[in-house]
Amino acid sequence: DSPVGAEATLSLRLTNYRRGVSSFRRDDTAQANSFEITLEGEASLSENRPGGKSLFEGRLVRGVARLVWDDPTTSPDGRQSLVAASRGLSEEAVSMTLDAW
């Protein structure tokens, strides 16, 4: 129920953010139609008990999301894609932590 009472602590450090074009419009190949947002980080897991050891450190994790829009008069809201990429990153970190057990 609390970090103090937890047996271990999972920490995640963001190391990189990228947004790159993943496709262009059919009618205007100079204008992007979709972007791919990538978040990268390092996950570490350590025991919380006195003298507790590190279970793993600096494992690479990655979350990717795609941002697509069709209306050339509006700008897409990148926050939703960023949330999706963050969710993917955190799911990968939790999976690597719990899959071993």
Side-chain angles (χ1 to χ4, degrees), residues 27-91:
D27 57 339
D28 184 357
T29 57
Q31 187 175 5
N33 188 47
S34 67
F35 291 92
E36 189 171 272
I37 293 175
T38 304
L39 291 177
E40 295 173 331
E42 294 178 349
S44 299
L45 182 66
S46 57
E47 293 179 334
N48 282 347
R49 63 183 166 179
K53 63 180 180 175
S54 174
L55 301 169
F56 63 78
E57 287 184 32
R59 286 193 182 171
L60 300 178
V61 290
R62 186 175 167 192
V64 179
R66 198 164 197 192
L67 172 64
V68 181
W69 74 93
D70 293 319
D71 184 357
T73 63
T74 62
S75 176
D77 184 0
R79 289 178 291 188
Q80 291 177 344
S81 303
L82 191 55
V83 168
S86 299
R87 186 177 302 118
L89 183 82
S90 62
E91 287 172 355

